[in-house]
Amino acid sequence: MLAASVRASIAHPKIVTALSLLIALLGANALLNARLDVFPDFAPPHVLVQTEVPGLDAAQVEALVTRPLEGLLAGAENVAAIRSTSSQGLSAIQVVFGSGGDPYRQRQVITEHLAQSAGLLPAGAGAPLLSPLSSSMEYLLHFGFTSDRLSPMELRDLIRWTVKPQILAVAGVAQAQIFGGDSRERQLLIDPVRLQAAGVTLDDVYAAVRRGTELIGGGYLETATQRIVLQAQTPGDSPQSLAKAVITTREGVPLRIGDVATVLDGPAPRIGDAMIGGRPGILVETSTQFGANTLEVSYALEKRLATLAPALAAQGVQYHPALLRPASFIESAIAKLRNSLLVGAVLVVALLLVTLRDWRGALISFSSIPVSLLATVWFLMGRGISLNTMSLGGLVVALGVVVDDAVIDVENITRRRRDAPPGTDGRQLLIDASLEVRRPVFYATAAVAVAFLPIFMLSGLQGSFFRPLATAFMVAVGLSLLVAMSATPALCALLMGRYVPRPEALWLRRCKTLQHRAVARLHGRPLLVLATLLLTGAAGVVLLPMLGARLLPDFREDYLIAHAALRPGIALEETARVGRRIAERLAAIRGVRSVAEQIGRAENGQDPDAPNKSEFEIQLDRSQGFTTGQLDAKVRAVFDDFPNQLVEIYSVLVERIGETLSGEGAPFFVSVFGPDLDVDDRVAGEVAAVLQRLPESRTVRLKAPPRQVQLRVALHPDRLMLYGLEASDVLRTVNAAFHGTTVAELTRADRSVPVTVRIAGVRRTPQNVGDLPLRGRDGALVRLSAVATLELVSARSLIDHESGLRRQIVVANPKTSDQAGYARAARQAVAAQVKLPPDVYLRYGGEAPAVAAAARDLLLHALAAFVLIVLLLALAFGRSRHVLLVLVALPSALLGGVAAVAVTGDTLSLGAMVGFVALFGMAARNTILLISHYDHLVAVEGQPWGLATAARGAAERLTPVLLTASLTALALLPVAIQLRQPGHEIEGPMAVVILGGLVSSTLVTLVLIPPLAARWLRPG
């Protein structure tokens, strides 16, 4: 089949060339319309189920809401994990789906299960709300609004009811969360004295409000010629009209709501806040729909906001764009990878011209690059794979490989034409030269592709990351083989039919002379050569673990996220005050462009944080002459000056990847599982103390914070009976006084306003809660302290679950980049110093388990790939000595890769591990070409086997081996040089490993293998 393809291409060169151009055009069109993203979707689909339960503390929320809902959801199909957080007034349950399912169908299954929850939840609980499906990055665009003219309530009304619908109308936007400002509500401020004097109860007022705000359709009138709709208006549409709503009528005299309460529009109690540059404002956080293109959606949303900005400015509202914008990293990463691809291509062309010394050979060789890569893009787009930093990285790595097949063909044709006597049939020479290298090139390319199978077969998050890279590489390499079997011979027939090549370059002749001397000297020392090969391989194996290990490198983003937490129970205003001071200090740093802060949580938001927690979004400006690392250090120094806060600082990608791995953003954590929370806290405290003593620990904290002060109201049944009170009535009064009871919803054309009943004149201090008046028997006023005991107690503010089990989490942030080494030290220290009670167990999480899982996957699949490569070699050569000689050459590549990583001072990341796996296929390629040529010299050309033939074969293969290795190195050189630039964080370490390994493996192939082959091999 290979011979038939080559002959057909040479027989019909114009047709084959035209088809190649057509495929390249289709690929170019696919490239222009490609979907660009930062990374492939690496996070499994998940939804967040939130249930508001006003007035209940964390323990009550856990028992009455979280546990019943967890029981319902645990039976849903294809659920990989269920994690929950119970806090004051809120149950938040994250349901993570397994892979391989339809996320929309899975979300529907969750909805169906939640439909059964109506009878399980306590009175007053809201309906469980599901978050929309969002992409792996989740973050789309964060932006803010401030105003000196509008009040916080007016500003929030404007953003919520005018701007938010415009945001959600943009295709691809999944959600828009609003932090800050005051939510408007229609408030009824009950005067307890007037209520008691009027002889009515709170329930009477509630009923009157519902009657006064109820809207019932009026129907229509039918006449002989037309139909007239009766438009009914809500009687309580304004505060004044609602105040006139009748509670009851006594002796013909109506008692109105306004007689016992003041009706007005006021702000609801805040559950969160926002600061923009230290000023109060509105922070809007948007997320991307599942499967949407982050760049396209960002552009569309920014365009929509830009059109709204002038109208907002006319109302005195300032728009603060791009407070957090992941699209900036995508643009930077894609641009740098594109530039690396172009620079690599230019370097490849330059090397081809210098080596081949002719534009025809350079053009034919180079043409395989655009045809192969554009055809690969066409294939990827057809399979729905976006062009992201990983798939583009696969094309960058493939750049030097796809040209190899064509280069080997062109070089062999050039060499044979240079040596051919006058009058040689040019067409037959093309066929013979192409067929001579076609079989070894096929098996060599197959070996390279097989070496990438372990990467393709990675599971979990690492598989989601690297599978597009392996797919792009394998498709590009496979297509390059087809190009070398069709387009390359066709172009050779068109351009090199009567071409007389120039003499070989002088520097190549000198390299061959040096090679011949080295081979001759080493021929008499075979044991030394073999020992060198074995020792270099063993050295690489020994030194590799010393590099340390981590899952992913630090990403050079222009945004940092700082999670800050004050002591539990701190008021929202105090968190905002501290936040303003921090924001002022951060804004004064040269190199910080903007600072925004979100405090607490948003309505149905993704993060159910308490008022003591805040999140700073810090935009960096590296154009000021500082690196990301320097600015990160300056930001950390500011937070170090506020020791009353626990702070964790991550880049956006690191946080999202950490949460995807195990639900936590930290690189290392220990989950303490046990039924007794007090015991869990004690064990977690001991674990935290052990971790804190480790020299490589930066910060250590407990996720579920210590207990906070709560005021317990314990009702006494005998006293309630004495005063003629019902417990439920007392609790409803307490709720109305200190939280507010929402009894109705006013719906207008474009918005809705809740109607809330509150008790006025209540002093909100712990000492005065007992003074709350209650309406007892015969309308007598009774103080709350007369029927209840009030005491300050220590209670939990947060309770965490995973898979239905209570847990406490110890979160640690190491100083070192060797996450695997830190995890080993931490586990050993905890095992030696912490004694666990019988019903408590630990589970370690973070990057280290993912690194171990990835290493296991790579090792297992690499062994399988190794077997496949051995089978390929056996199929190619049919002789065990040939196979063993190729295998002996492979370990030397390991030492070069290890040395390259050590020189850069880097840690062994997953990208570097992938580089080592890919390196073995590339190293095997050149040895296969050399040994195959030995067989050709003996079997076809009839050369006697010995040192002279081995030296001749090595010299004749020096140019293609050196050229293919150099082409791969030059293609990867721009990526390796920009190792620490945005977009090269993953591919950079991989390129460094491959470059180092290519140097050592090429020297072995050209210098050490020929003397061993002369002694040991029996070609023919």
Side-chain angles (χ1 to χ4, degrees):
M1 185 183 72
L2 299 178
S5 174
V6 171
R7 289 192 177 95
S9 299
I10 293 176
H12 307 284
K14 293 182 180 179
I15 295 176
V16 174
T17 303
L19 287 175
S20 301
L21 286 173
L22 177 61
I23 292 173
L25 290 174
L26 292 172
N29 180 66
L31 179 62
L32 294 175
N33 297 284
R35 181 166 66 95
L36 302 177
D37 215 331
V38 56
F39 286 123
D41 276 326
F42 55 83
H46 66 276
V47 294
L48 188 67
V49 181
Q50 290 194 347
T51 309
E52 298 272 1
V53 202
L56 299 188
D57 67 8
Q60 293 168 330
V61 171
E62 178 200 30
L64 300 176
V65 182
T66 303
R67 285 201 181 279
L69 291 181
E70 283 179 336
L72 283 178
L73 299 176
E77 62 179 278
N78 200 29
V79 171
I82 296 179
R83 305 184 185 101
S84 68
T85 299
S86 302
S87 57
Q88 193 274 321
L90 180 69
S91 168
I93 303 175
Q94 184 190 39
V95 182
V96 182
F97 301 123
S99 59
D102 179 358
Y104 295 99
R105 183 180 181 280
Q106 291 169 328
R107 189 176 188 276
Q108 179 61 31
V109 169
I110 297 299
T111 304
E112 292 171 0
H113 278 256
L114 289 176
Q116 308 170 37
S117 65
L120 301 176
L121 301 182
L129 300 176
L130 264 71
S131 65
L133 288 171
S134 57
S135 67
S136 298
M137 273 304 299
E138 199 167 276
Y139 300 123
L140 173 62
L141 189 67
H142 294 187
F143 46 91
F145 302 93
T146 57
S147 177
D148 296 326
R149 186 187 306 174
L150 302 181
S151 68
M153 190 163 62
E154 292 170 332
L155 179 59
R156 186 177 176 100
D157 278 348
L158 178 64
I159 303 305
R160 182 178 181 182
W161 302 112
T162 303
V163 177
K164 184 177 178 179
Q166 297 285 321
I167 295 170
L168 295 177
V170 175
V173 176
Q175 190 177 31
Q177 303 177 68
I178 299 177
F179 288 85
D182 288 324
S183 295
R184 183 184 298 273
E185 63 179 14
R186 184 69 45 83
Q187 296 178 346
L188 278 71
L189 304 180
I190 303 291
D191 185 330
V193 176
R194 288 157 60 188
L195 185 71
Q196 187 269 344
V200 294
T201 65
L202 281 177
D203 286 338
D204 296 328
V205 177
Y206 296 164
V209 171
R210 294 188 184 101
R211 293 195 301 269
T213 56
E214 187 176 18
L215 178 60
I216 302 174
Y220 59 88
L221 300 175
E222 190 82 33
T223 69
T225 58
Q226 63 182 4
R227 174 177 288 185
I228 302 173
V229 176
L230 294 178
Q231 186 188 70
Q233 292 290 329
T234 305
D237 188 55
S238 65
Q240 295 77 17
S241 59
L242 183 58
K244 296 175 183 177
V246 176
I247 300 175
T248 186
T249 301
R250 293 175 180 166
E251 299 178 358
V253 179
L255 177 68
R256 299 169 300 179
I257 290 176
D259 296 329
V260 297
T262 301
V263 183
L264 49 80
D265 281 358
R270 293 187 178 187
I271 57 176
D273 203 351
M275 297 285 167
I276 313 296
R279 296 175 55 198
I282 298 286
L283 177 64
V284 182
E285 300 185 355
T286 58
S287 56
T288 316
Q289 288 179 358
F290 185 77
N293 185 330
T294 303
L295 271 183
E296 290 181 359
V297 179
S298 296
Y299 294 153
L301 180 55
E302 288 170 330
K303 183 178 179 181
R304 179 68 58 88
L305 290 169
T307 60
L308 294 173
L312 294 172
Q315 300 180 61
V317 177
Q318 292 80 47
Y319 165 50
H320 302 268
L323 297 174
L324 184 68
R325 187 178 184 269
S328 299
F329 180 80
I330 300 175
E331 292 167 342
S332 174
I334 296 294
K336 283 186 166 55
L337 278 172
R338 184 180 60 239
N339 293 339
S340 296
L341 197 61
L342 293 175
V343 171
V346 171
L347 293 175
V348 165
V349 172
L351 181 61
L352 289 171
L353 288 172
V354 170
T355 305
L356 300 177
R357 304 184 69 194
D358 180 72
W359 66 269
R360 296 173 186 83
L363 176 62
I364 295 169
S365 301
F366 181 78
S367 65
S368 63
I369 294 178
V371 175
S372 301
L373 297 190
L374 290 174
T376 303
V377 172
W378 185 28
F379 175 85
L380 295 178
M381 295 304 102
R383 295 296 302 273
I385 301 175
S386 66
L387 277 188
N388 48 65
T389 53
M390 301 309 296
S391 55
L392 277 176
L395 297 181
V396 171
V397 175
L399 177 62
V401 179
V402 297
V403 73
D404 287 354
D405 295 344
V407 164
I408 293 168
D409 207 1
V410 171
E411 191 279 334
N412 203 47
I413 291 171
T414 302
R415 181 182 61 83
R416 293 190 60 158
R417 182 171 286 279
R418 188 183 293 127
D419 299 337
T424 302
D425 184 356
R427 180 175 174 181
Q428 188 59 43
L429 185 145
L430 290 176
I431 294 174
D432 293 342
S434 295
L435 292 180
E436 176 190 340
V437 297
R438 191 51 43 216
R439 181 181 172 85
V441 163
F442 174 82
Y443 285 109
T445 303
V448 173
V450 168
F452 267 78
L453 280 178
I455 305 168
F456 183 81
M457 298 171 69
L458 281 170
S459 59
L461 177 138
Q462 48 269 26
S464 300
F465 257 100
F466 283 93
R467 198 171 295 115
L469 183 147
T471 301
F473 179 88
M474 293 169 70
V475 171
V477 169
L479 290 174
S480 73
L481 185 60
L482 294 177
V483 169
M485 290 165 42
S486 55
T488 301
L491 283 173
C492 288
L494 289 175
L495 298 178
M496 301 181 69
R498 299 180 179 178
Y499 164 65
V500 178
R502 296 180 181 180
E504 193 171 46
L506 177 61
W507 66 275
L508 281 174
R509 294 200 298 271
R510 289 179 177 174
C511 287
K512 290 181 179 181
T513 301
L514 293 174
Q515 179 197 36
H516 187 274
R517 292 174 183 171
V519 170
R521 287 182 181 179
L522 293 173
H523 178 258
R525 303 173 183 177
L527 293 179
L528 175 62
V529 174
L530 185 60
T532 302
L533 289 174
L534 296 177
L535 287 175
T536 53
V541 172
V542 172
L543 294 175
L544 185 63
M546 298 181 182
L547 296 174
R550 62 184 306 179
L551 182 66
L552 294 171
D554 294 325
F555 292 95
R556 278 83 185 177
E557 299 178 71
D558 289 334
Y559 294 92
L560 295 175
I561 294 181
H563 297 272
L566 292 167
R567 181 173 51 82
I570 291 294
L572 197 70
E573 290 76 9
E574 175 64 11
T575 307
R577 183 190 68 81
V578 175
R580 279 193 295 270
R581 293 177 57 196
I582 294 174
E584 290 171 0
R585 293 277 304 278
L586 291 174
I589 298 175
R590 185 170 162 234
V592 171
R593 182 171 294 170
S594 66
V595 180
E597 180 190 14
Q598 67 177 54
I599 305 170
R601 63 184 178 91
E603 296 176 10
N604 196 32
Q606 296 289 321
D607 298 315
D609 288 337
N612 67 305
K613 293 185 178 181
S614 61
E615 182 179 295
F616 292 85
E617 296 169 357
I618 306 161
Q619 183 180 10
L620 307 179
D621 183 7
R622 287 178 294 156
S623 65
Q624 297 295 320
F626 297 101
T627 65
T628 302
Q630 291 171 331
L631 292 174
D632 180 276
K634 290 176 180 289
V635 168
R636 291 181 185 275
V638 170
F639 283 101
D640 288 343
D641 291 339
F642 294 84
N644 59 334
Q645 287 200 113
L646 288 172
V647 180
E648 295 171 358
I649 302 175
Y650 309 112
S651 67
V652 177
L653 285 170
V654 168
E655 182 188 53
R656 288 298 306 133
I657 292 169
E659 290 178 353
T660 298
L661 280 172
S662 51
E664 298 297 323
F668 180 78
F669 67 91
V670 184
S671 295
V672 182
F673 290 92
D676 190 325
L677 290 173
D678 292 329
V679 175
D680 294 348
D681 283 348
R682 178 178 61 78
V683 173
E686 294 175 5
V687 172
V690 171
L691 297 181
Q692 193 67 66
R693 289 194 292 268
L694 293 177
E696 295 297 336
S697 294
R698 176 181 280 124
T699 60
V700 179
R701 69 174 178 87
L702 301 185
K703 182 187 176 186
R707 292 170 176 264
Q708 68 179 46
V709 174
Q710 293 185 5
L711 183 62
R712 178 180 293 166
V713 180
L715 300 177
H716 299 290
D718 53 341
R719 298 184 190 178
L720 292 174
M721 182 175 61
L722 177 65
Y723 291 105
L725 292 169
E726 294 286 344
S728 59
D729 293 335
V730 174
L731 294 178
R732 280 199 294 269
T733 303
V734 172
N735 181 271
F738 300 103
H739 182 273
T741 303
T742 300
V743 294
E745 193 85 16
L746 279 173
T747 303
R748 300 176 183 173
D750 62 342
R751 65 193 63 192
S752 61
V753 179
V755 181
T756 304
V757 175
R758 303 182 185 279
I759 296 179
V762 178
R763 299 179 64 185
R764 295 176 173 270
T765 62
Q767 298 81 7
N768 299 106
V769 172
D771 296 335
L772 176 68
L774 307 171
R775 188 174 186 272
R777 183 183 294 113
D778 301 325
L781 290 179
V782 181
R783 295 172 60 192
L784 176 62
S785 58
V787 296
T789 299
L790 285 79
E791 60 177 337
L792 291 172
V793 297
S794 176
R796 299 187 178 278
S797 61
L798 193 72
I799 300 175
D800 258 359
H801 284 186
E802 183 173 0
S803 300
L805 301 176
R806 287 175 161 181
R807 68 170 180 171
Q808 174 63 281
I809 303 175
V810 184
V811 176
N813 283 285
K815 300 175 184 176
T816 176
S817 60
D818 181 9
Q819 304 292 353
Y822 178 84
R824 284 194 300 271
R827 295 183 70 141
Q828 292 169 1
V830 170
Q833 302 177 44
V834 177
K835 184 177 181 181
L836 299 179
D839 53 353
V840 174
Y841 70 94
L842 306 181
R843 184 184 299 167
Y844 295 88
E847 283 193 17
V851 172
R856 284 194 302 269
D857 277 358
L858 281 175
L859 181 60
L860 177 64
H861 297 141
L863 290 175
F866 176 77
V867 173
L868 285 176
I869 289 176
V870 171
L871 294 176
L872 274 173
L873 295 175
L875 190 62
F877 298 120
R879 300 187 181 186
S880 59
R881 295 196 177 199
H882 290 61
V883 175
L884 288 174
L885 192 58
V886 174
L887 298 180
V888 165
L890 294 183
S892 60
L894 183 64
L895 183 61
V898 170
V901 175
V903 167
T904 59
D906 217 348
T907 306
L908 191 63
S909 66
L910 186 55
M913 294 181 196
V914 168
F916 279 111
V917 174
L919 180 61
F920 286 109
M922 297 181 181
R925 178 189 184 93
N926 289 334
T927 311
I928 291 172
L929 292 174
L930 176 63
I931 297 177
S932 296
H933 191 54
Y934 286 158
D935 281 345
H936 174 81
L937 289 175
V938 174
V940 178
E941 299 189 16
Q943 297 294 319
W945 183 244
L947 176 59
T949 304
R952 175 190 166 184
E956 290 179 352
R957 280 292 168 261
L958 181 141
T959 300
V961 168
L962 195 59
L963 189 54
T964 54
S966 301
L967 289 172
T968 303
L970 286 178
L972 293 174
L973 188 62
V975 179
I977 290 175
Q978 301 181 82
L979 173 66
R980 293 178 173 83
Q981 292 298 315
H984 290 359
E985 294 93 341
I986 294 178
E987 288 86 354
M990 184 168 58
V992 167
V993 167
I994 294 175
L995 281 175
L998 279 176
V999 172
S1000 59
S1001 65
T1002 302
L1003 288 174
V1004 166
T1005 300
L1006 295 177
V1007 178
L1008 299 184
I1009 293 299
L1012 272 185
R1015 284 275 186 175
W1016 193 36
L1017 209 60
R1018 298 294 182 267

